[in-house]
Amino acid sequence: MQNNTIQLNTPFRLNAHVCIKNRLFKSAMSEQLATEQHDPTLGLVTLYRTWAAGGIGLCMTGNIMVDRDALGEPKNVVLDEQSNLELFKRWAEAGTENNTQCWAQLNHPGKQIPNFITKEPVAPSAIALENGLEKGFNVPRALDEQEIWEIIGKFANSALLAKKAGFTGVQIHAAHGYLVSQFLSPRHNRRDDQWGGSLENRMRFVLNVYHAIRAKVGTQFPVAIKLNSADFMKDGFSEEDSMQVVSALSDAGIDLIEVSGGTYESPSMMGHKTSTKTREAYFLDYADKLRATTNTPLVVTGGFRSAKGMAEALNSHATDLVGLARPLAVDPDLPNKLMADNQYKMVLRHLTTGFKTIDKMAMLNITWYEHQLERIAKNKAPKANLSEWLSFAKTIYAAGRYAFRSRRA
Ligand SMILES: Cc1cc2nc3c(=O)[nH]c(=O)nc-3n(C[C@H](O)[C@H](O)[C@H](O)COP(=O)(O)O)c2cc1C
């Protein structure tokens, strides 16, 4: 029988400079709550104040785009020289209330940009997305050397602005099939220059993004990464590749590694393929293997629902923090409840309109949760029984026909 010496409310010392007040980590959820100029709205401020009050230890923002010309979704936040930094300051201030760490997730979507947003997305190589995504996403153009360095500079620039705004750390989004992940994947990166081919070349982009950020934010500011355990696609980024990338990033000094998996083509992060049958989180078996090879702090995200499952994962030492996304959209006070009752369990109901095609077309697994975020942003309580049909109708109303083009896995 396992001795649970680590509790959910046990603080975690990340390094000499940062201590996280408990083991609960809010994973990024793209909020779709930006202004037309792609600045944070006051609704976003309310949402993060609510999460901070709910007891979360480390709260990751939804993905913030580093390049204004490369949005993954229509209402993404962008952080660059044109941004209104005062609004970002209010957002960071709310997110760090109650001694909460609030970090900014930085992303570039690469070719995972729907074609109603951009006709010609960029990527490491001109290779189309498959698995039914051909209609919604155009074939990308391969980046040239100068453009690659420009994007690396944009990541670093956004990180510095995030620090100036008052976020207490940043995370590079290198998972889920976006640009950094495209560079890592032999399926998507077929370049024959220094950025492609061998794993050493494929990881050059992420390592340069990391070093460029570090050079701007200094050694004491936390820099994390969200990385796929694998892409779960033929000829894609494998577990073996991922372990070597973790090793290189650990050597380079990354502060925290969040483990996820999958891409738009194969959305394993939402649990459609799991790496384990016996534990409630999807990527714990992979994290066990990682733990044997690195001392860098780890957070596993995907599938955690019960205080018991979370405590078991922490005490197995597979992970240092517990990543939670969808449960926090339905109950922002969940961290306080989990820490108060070690039998607490959240049940998320299976979302369906009864018609699989509509569920897929409406991306219920994303849009239904976005509607909960929108409610919290308006100071309303989330609605666990929000009807799938109502969510579907709201999606049509908000975005018309574009709503039914593939957006995100
Ligand atoms: C509405 C929504 C938006 C998401 N946006 C992001 C994002 O911006 N960045 C990211 O890394 N993951 C994003 N994810 C994935 C989550 O961070 C997480 O990996 C996934 O939901 C599995 O965790 P869960 O089972 O706790 O929900 C999103 C998920 C949802 C439901």
Side-chain angles (χ1 to χ4, degrees), residues 27-30 63 105 173 226 269 302-303 305 325-326 408:
S27 299
M29 274 185 283
S30 188
N63 59 181
Q105 187 186 61
H173 194 351
K226 185 164 182 173
M269 64 295 227
R305 302 295 179 258
R326 287 166 289 181
R408 158 187 291 281

Side-chain angles (χ1 to χ4, degrees), residues 28 69 85 110 120 127 129 149 170 181 196-197 202-203 207 210 222 260 265 283 295 297 308 323 327 344 367 373 397:
D69 294 328
L85 210 60
E120 194 185 55
I127 294 167
L129 291 170
W149 286 112
V170 290
S181 147
R202 282 183 276 124
M203 69 166 102
L207 284 172
Y210 169 73
S260 188
E265 291 175 312
F283 305 111
N295 290 324
K308 186 165 171 281
Y344 198 85
T367 50
L373 301 185
Y397 179 75

Side-chain angles (χ1 to χ4, degrees), residues 111-112 129-131 133 137 173-178 181-182 185 187-188 228-234 236-237 260-270 272-273 283 407-409:
K111 65 181 157 188
Q112 285 190 161
L129 291 170
E130 294 174 10
N131 275 11
L133 300 176
F137 296 82
H173 194 351
H176 303 173
Y178 295 106
S181 147
Q182 287 159 31
S185 161
R187 175 186 172 90
H188 296 294
N228 275 355
S229 53
D231 288 352
F232 301 97
M233 286 294 284
K234 191 171 173 288
F237 184 64
S260 188
T263 66
Y264 280 19
E265 291 175 312
S266 176
S268 329
M269 64 295 227
M270 309 308 272
H272 98 156
K273 281 179 194 163
F283 305 111
R407 267 203 288 138
R408 158 187 291 281

Side-chain angles (χ1 to χ4, degrees), residues 327-370:
L328 288 167
V330 182
D331 187 358
D333 206 30
L334 181 66
N336 284 335
K337 291 177 185 163
L338 289 166
M339 287 186 286
D341 175 3
N342 61 14
Q343 295 305 310
Y344 198 85
K345 184 174 176 149
M346 162 151 256
V347 180
L348 290 181
R349 64 189 174 83
H350 173 64
L351 298 172
T352 179
T353 56
F355 298 91
K356 272 194 181 153
T357 329
I358 293 185
D359 296 350
K360 203 173 167 208
M361 185 172 72
M363 297 167 298
L364 261 188
N365 220 357
I366 293 290
T367 50
W368 189 89
Y369 291 97
E370 278 174 8

Side-chain angles (χ1 to χ4, degrees), residues 238-273:
S238 66
E239 255 192 41
E240 295 68 37
D241 284 351
S242 181
M243 292 185 74
Q244 288 191 50
V245 175
V246 163
S247 162
L249 285 163
S250 299
D251 290 348
I254 200 101
D255 291 295
L256 177 68
I257 296 171
E258 181 181 359
V259 177
S260 188
T263 66
Y264 280 19
E265 291 175 312
S266 176
S268 329
M269 64 295 227
M270 309 308 272
H272 98 156
K273 281 179 194 163

